[in-house]
């Protein structure tokens, strides 16, 4: 019994594309950064057989003719073994204005995270920010991705979908804000929102202000405590409580000789 025709088509070499979109990675894993790896992790968990490997090969050979990335997903044309390219669509849910307002406010509440984003970095803590407001930045399961291809392969993801995802992952490596753009907020809009919210929140607390700017108020002494006072006891009273010395100096007792010194010390 012969195999289904689409399985036989899997073994056919694709038509070579001139000037196609391809990834720079020539071997091994494609994603280099933690956020790209997070994006690919769900896809690689549900990948079937060798289709992921063939998808990487497609991405390295430049079989993707066109790729348009916008809020909510990406659309591409991928050249397979048939003359007509296949249409590929990868969709993710985009967040609305109210959801992004919650995210931005949560970001501003974390000064170090906001500073990292404004510097063009993507800290790990950003995932926690989305989680705190009940959202997920990266697809958590296959249900969070809409994957569609016009090829006859019934497996999802097929090699054409995989190829496009690998190209996206490498783009995310170069620009971490591309993942945020898929969710509905491009880099410039997000950073402008963060700056505005941080400015409207007023000056940073003293612990976040340079020490040179707060030296005048860095330490302010409070009122001095009230000193405890006791009875007004003469400074030479101690001499009257000790036993008299049995010797005298020139007819004067040692106690009386010491008394002027005690009185002088008590008045100092």
């Amino acid at each position: 019994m012969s195999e289904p025709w689409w399985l036989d088509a899997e073994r056919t070499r694709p038509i070579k594309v001139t000037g196609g979109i391809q990834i720079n990675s020539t071997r091994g894993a494609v994603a280099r950064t933690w956020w790209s790896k997070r994006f690919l992790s769900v896809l690689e968990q549900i990948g079937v057989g060798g289709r992921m490997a063939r998808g990487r090969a497609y991405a390295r050979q430049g079989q993707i003719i066109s790729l348009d990335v916008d809020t909510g997903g990406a659309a591409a044309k991928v050249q397979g073994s048939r003359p007509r390219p296949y249409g590929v669509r990868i969709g993710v849910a985009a967040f609305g204005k109210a959801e992004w307002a919650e995210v931005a406010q949560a970001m501003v509440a974390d000064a170090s995270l906001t500073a990292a984003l404004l510097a063009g970095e993507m800290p790990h803590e950003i995932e926690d920010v989305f989680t705190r407001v009940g959202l997920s930045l990266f697809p958590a399961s296959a249900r969070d991705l809409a994957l569609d291809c016009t090829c006859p392969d019934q497996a999802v993801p097929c090699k054409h979908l995989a190829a496009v995802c690998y190209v996206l992952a490498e783009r995310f490596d170069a620009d971490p804000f591309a993942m945020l753009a898929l969710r509905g907020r491009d880099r410039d809009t997000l950073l402008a929102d963060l700056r505005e919210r941080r400015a409207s929140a007023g000056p940073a607390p003293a612990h976040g202000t340079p020490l040179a700017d707060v030296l005048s108020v860095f330490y302010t002494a409070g009122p001095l405590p009230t000193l405890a006072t006791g009875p007004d006891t003469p400074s030479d009273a101690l001499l009257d409580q000790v036993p008299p010395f049995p010797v005298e100096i020139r007819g004067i007792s040692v106690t009386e000789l010491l008394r002027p010194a005690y009185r002088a010390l008590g008045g100092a």
Side-chain angles (χ1 to χ4, degrees), residues 26-149:
T26 57
R27 64 177 61 185
V30 173
R32 294 182 292 103
T33 57
W34 71 265
W35 55 85
S36 292
K37 292 175 182 176
R38 289 284 289 106
F39 171 73
L40 284 179
S41 62
V42 173
L43 188 78
E44 292 177 337
Q45 287 170 11
I46 63 175
V48 179
R51 289 178 175 84
M52 299 303 295
R54 287 192 288 271
R56 283 194 298 272
Y58 264 48
R60 285 171 175 143
Q61 294 165 14
Q63 293 301 123
I64 299 174
I65 297 173
S66 66
L67 175 61
D68 297 315
V69 184
D70 203 351
T71 297
K77 292 292 184 182
V78 181
Q79 181 64 62
S81 57
R82 292 186 171 188
R84 185 175 182 178
Y86 299 120
V88 171
R89 170 73 184 174
I90 299 171
V92 295
F95 304 138
K97 289 184 177 180
E99 291 170 316
W100 269 110
E102 287 188 78
V103 170
Q105 194 59 42
M107 288 178 176
V108 169
D110 188 331
S112 61
L113 183 141
T114 304
L117 288 172
L118 292 174
E121 301 173 6
M122 183 68 74
H124 275 279
E125 293 78 10
I126 195 169
E127 285 195 272
D128 297 331
V129 170
F130 281 85
T131 300
R132 284 199 298 270
V133 297
L135 301 173
S136 176
L137 173 58
F138 301 99
S141 68
R143 294 189 299 272
D144 298 329
L145 286 171
L147 302 173
D148 183 65
C149 181

Side-chain angles (χ1 to χ4, degrees), residues 227-247:
L227 297 177
T229 58
D232 189 10
T233 305
S235 58
D236 59 346
L238 180 62
L239 294 174
D240 297 325
Q241 299 177 26
V242 298
F245 288 92
V247 294

